[in-house]
Amino acid sequence: MAELRLAKAFMRRVAVYAEEHAIDLAAPRSDAIDVRDSSMGIRQDGTSTALRIVKLQACAALAERSTKQQGQHEVEQQQVAAATALQPVLAVSFGQADTAIARQHDLCKVSDCIAALLLPHISSSSANARERVQNSFASIFSAASLPRLASLSKLEREVELKHVADITLEGVNVEGQMDLENHLQLLEDTKQRCTLQQHALQDYTDAVVHRGSSEAPQEAIMLQLTEELAYVHQAYALCQALRDHLAASLGRIGQHHREQEQGLRELQGLVGAALAVPKEVVQPAFEALGRRHLVMLAEQQQLQLQPALVAAVTRCIDADMPQLAKELAAPGAASSIMPLAPITDDSQGPKNPIDMAAAEAASGVVRIAASDAPDSAISHLSLAGFCPVSFVKRSGLLMKVDATVGFVRYEDQHFGCANQEFLNCFAASPQEYMDAVMTQAVQHPACIALLNLQSCFRDLSLDKLIEAVEAEPETLDGACQTELHPIAKHMDYNYEWNEWGHRRKALNMVNLRQKRTHGSQTILSHFRRENATQVCYRAIKVSDIVTPIIAVCL
C-alpha cells in the first residue's frame, strides 16, 4: 500500500535525521522491520505500533491530497467542457445564414453554450437546472441579438458570451439546494465514532495510570501501552478533525442558504407587482445573489468530497486499531480516582533543581490559575494540549493536561501539565523540558504530528515526502554519472587474480634469493678477478706504407 511505503520512507528519514543530529534512537523505534517480541507491539506482518501511527497519518494526508486533486480535476473538466461549448459560437460560419431556421439553430447554439458555462455553477442535485438556465437566458437574449453577436471578432465574441452568462446567472432562481440528508447522517456517524474513540482513549488512559503506579516506564508492558495510547490519540484526533470540518461546512452552507432566502425576499420587495423596474435598482441585488450562490456552490463541492475522505480515514483506523487486553485493563475508572504516580526515576529528561521556587523565578514563566485562564489560551495550548513532563519523563507517554491545576505562560505560549507535580517541574525548567521534548519527538517520530511540532521538523514532513514521491524523476545529461561506489570502499588494488602472475612473482623471488649476499664477502671482494689482458694488433694496410714513402720523397 502507498501509505505503508510512505510510512517506512518517513521512518528511514527520521533515522537519517537522528544520525545527523547525534540522537540515539531506541531499537524498537528505529525502524519497523526490526523483529521484536509480540508483547512490544509488533504484529505478525512486522509492523510496529509506531509505524502504524505514521501509516495512519500518511493515509489521512494522502486521502486529503486525493480529494483536493479530484476537485481540481473536476474544475479542469468543467473548463474544458466550457471551452468546447464555445467553439460552435466562435466559429467563422456562425450567424452567416439569414433564414429563420438558421437563426433558430444559432440561437440554440448560444443557449447550449450558456448552459454549459453555467451548469457547473448550478446545484447539480436540481433536476431542472438546465431548464432554469434556458428560461433565464431567453428572458435576456433573443434572435434579434444574433447579428450583433456575429459581427464581433472571436475575442470580443468570447467576452460577450461570458458577460451574457453572468447576467443569466443573476437571473437564475438559485433557491434550489443540494440534498444534505446524507451529509447530516455522515456527520452523525462521525460523531458516534468520536464517542467510541473517546471511550477507547479513556480505557487506555486508565490502564496506563493503573500500570504506571507499579511499573517503570521502560518496562515492556508500559512501552506497549504507551505506543497503543498514542495510536488511539491519533485516531481520535483524526475523527475530531473530520467531525469539526463536516459541522463547519454544513453550518456555512446553512448560513449561505439563509442569506440567500433573505436576498430573494428583498428582491421580491423591490420588484413587487411592478411591470418595469429600473436596471440600476435590481441589478445590484441580482449580482449579490449570484456571488452568494457561487460561494455556496464552492462550499457544496467541497462537501461532496468529504464522504470519500471519511471512508478512507476510517478504513485505515479500523485496519490497525489496537484492542486493549482484558488483563491490562484497569479495575474501574482508575484515572478518575488516582493521579499519575510521582516521578521516582530522574534519569530521563532534565533533573529537578534543588530550589524549585528560585529556579521558577529565574525561568521567566508566568503562572495562570485555572479560573483566570482565557478561553483562547485553553483552546490553543502548545503541544496540542499534551503534558511535556509526562512525554519526557515517561518515555513518550501522551497525557492530556489537567486544567484544574492551572497553566504557565512561557515565551508567549501556554502550557499545561497532567498534575501539580509535573507543572512545578516544568515551571522550574521550561527551556530544558522543551529541548528534551524535541529529542523525545525524534525518538518517537509518530508523536511529531500529534504534538503539532511539524514547524520544528521541516525536514520530517509527510507533505514534503509525498511531493518528493509524486515528483517526476529528474533527467541527467549523458556526461553526468553517479558515483560507482557510494559507500565506503574496501578494495585491495594490489590484488593479483592471474595465476601466471603469481608464478612470475614466485620465480622472481627465488632468483633474488640466489643472489643474496654472503657473510664471507668483504669490501675488496669485487677486485678478485682475472687481470690478464690481450692485445689485438691492427692489420697493416697499403696506405700505411705508401704515405710515409711519399712524405720522404718530398
Side-chain angles (χ1 to χ4, degrees), residues 232-445:
V232 179
H233 270 299
Q234 182 63 72
Y236 181 55
L238 289 176
C239 290
Q240 277 187 315
L242 293 174
R243 179 199 62 191
D244 297 342
H245 188 74
L246 278 171
S249 183
L250 289 172
R252 288 191 295 267
I253 290 177
Q255 179 65 25
H256 293 323
H257 181 52
R258 289 189 292 271
E259 293 176 358
Q260 194 80 342
E261 290 181 345
Q262 179 65 25
L264 288 173
R265 286 193 294 268
E266 293 176 358
L267 183 60
Q268 187 176 4
L270 288 175
V271 177
L275 298 178
V277 181
K279 179 181 178 181
E280 294 79 8
V281 176
V282 296
Q283 187 166 358
F286 277 114
E287 290 178 353
L289 286 174
R291 287 193 300 268
R292 193 177 297 113
H293 175 71
L294 291 178
V295 173
M296 184 168 58
L297 174 72
E299 194 68 42
Q300 290 176 358
Q301 289 176 343
Q302 293 296 323
L303 184 63
Q304 289 174 354
L305 299 176
Q306 290 303 308
L309 177 61
V310 173
V313 174
T314 53
R315 184 169 57 251
C316 190
I317 290 176
D318 296 338
D320 296 322
M321 188 68 184
Q323 299 295 330
L324 183 62
K326 293 182 179 180
E327 59 272 13
L328 300 180
S335 61
S336 61
I337 59 176
M338 66 171 65
L340 280 174
I343 300 174
T344 57
D345 184 10
D346 204 21
S347 60
Q348 288 187 323
K351 296 185 180 299
N352 295 330
I354 299 176
D355 192 348
M356 300 281 287
E360 180 178 346
S363 64
V365 301
V366 178
R367 294 258 188 173
I368 301 176
S371 57
D372 299 334
D375 296 337
S376 59
I378 298 176
S379 59
H380 295 86
L381 287 175
S382 297
L383 302 179
F386 290 102
C387 176
V389 180
S390 66
F391 185 69
V392 172
K393 291 291 187 180
R394 299 188 181 276
S395 301
L397 177 60
L398 294 174
M399 295 295 294
K400 281 292 185 178
V401 303
D402 185 2
T404 60
V405 301
F407 307 93
V408 296
R409 185 173 68 247
Y410 177 68
E411 293 184 351
D412 296 332
Q413 298 183 28
H414 293 83
F415 298 88
C417 291
N419 54 37
Q420 188 65 48
E421 179 194 2
F422 289 177
L423 188 65
N424 296 336
C425 294
F426 181 80
S429 307
Q431 187 58 47
E432 289 78 1
Y433 271 104
M434 288 306 299
D435 295 340
V437 165
M438 299 302 170
T439 303
Q440 283 283 342
V442 178
Q443 295 177 348
H444 304 79

Side-chain angles (χ1 to χ4, degrees), residues 18-19 55 62 67 137 200 212 341 431 440 471 484:
E19 183 178 358
K55 175 187 170 185
L62 288 173
T67 54
F137 171 75
Q431 187 58 47
Q440 283 283 342
L484 181 61

Side-chain angles (χ1 to χ4, degrees), residues 15-267:
V16 174
Y17 181 90
E19 183 178 358
E20 292 176 351
H21 293 77
I23 299 176
D24 294 332
L25 290 179
R29 300 179 180 88
S30 61
D31 202 342
I33 60 176
D34 296 336
V35 180
R36 298 165 52 201
D37 186 73
S38 60
S39 62
M40 294 292 290
I42 288 290
R43 298 197 316 182
Q44 294 180 357
D45 57 0
T47 58
S48 65
T49 306
L51 184 69
R52 296 200 296 271
I53 299 174
V54 179
K55 175 187 170 185
L56 180 58
Q57 297 169 356
C59 178
L62 288 173
E64 184 176 1
R65 193 178 185 88
S66 177
T67 54
K68 290 182 179 179
Q69 291 178 350
Q70 182 180 355
Q72 294 175 357
H73 180 65
E74 291 180 357
V75 172
E76 292 175 357
Q77 285 184 336
Q78 293 172 1
Q79 293 175 352
V80 171
T84 304
L86 283 172
Q87 295 306 316
V89 185
L90 298 180
V92 180
S93 59
F94 176 79
Q96 298 298 324
D98 193 12
T99 62
I101 297 177
R103 286 196 297 270
Q104 189 65 29
H105 185 63
D106 291 339
L107 186 61
C108 292
K109 288 183 180 179
V110 179
S111 177
D112 293 340
C113 175
I114 298 300
L117 291 174
L118 292 184
L119 283 179
H121 302 291
I122 307 298
S123 178
S124 60
S125 61
S126 180
N128 58 345
R130 178 176 290 273
E131 181 181 354
R132 291 189 289 114
V133 171
Q134 291 177 349
N135 292 336
S136 177
F137 171 75
S139 65
I140 63 172
F141 196 91
S142 62
S145 304
L146 287 175
R148 177 183 174 277
L149 181 63
S151 64
L152 299 176
S153 64
K154 183 177 181 180
L155 181 60
E156 293 174 346
R157 198 181 301 174
E158 183 177 358
V159 174
E160 183 68 17
L161 286 173
K162 291 182 179 179
H163 181 63
V164 172
D166 293 339
I167 299 176
T168 304
L169 180 62
E170 295 170 5
V172 172
N173 184 7
V174 294
E175 63 182 0
Q177 297 295 314
M178 66 180 296
D179 186 11
L180 299 179
E181 291 298 328
N182 294 333
H183 297 86
L184 291 173
Q185 184 60 41
L186 180 63
L187 178 60
E188 291 298 325
D189 296 341
T190 308
K191 288 181 179 179
Q192 293 180 3
R193 179 172 287 272
C194 286
T195 303
L196 295 177
Q197 294 293 341
Q198 189 175 11
H199 291 164
L201 184 61
Q202 186 65 43
D203 294 340
Y204 267 99
T205 304
D206 295 342
V208 168
V209 171
H210 176 66
R211 290 280 178 173
S213 60
S214 58
E215 298 187 21
Q218 294 80 15
E219 295 293 333
I221 193 64
M222 287 301 298
L223 291 177
Q224 176 187 351
L225 289 174
T226 298
E227 290 186 347
E228 292 182 355
L229 177 62
Y231 186 95
V232 179
H233 270 299
Q234 182 63 72
Y236 181 55
L238 289 176
C239 290
Q240 277 187 315
L242 293 174
R243 179 199 62 191
D244 297 342
H245 188 74
L246 278 171
S249 183
L250 289 172
R252 288 191 295 267
I253 290 177
Q255 179 65 25
H256 293 323
H257 181 52
R258 289 189 292 271
E259 293 176 358
Q260 194 80 342
E261 290 181 345
Q262 179 65 25
L264 288 173
R265 286 193 294 268
E266 293 176 358
L267 183 60

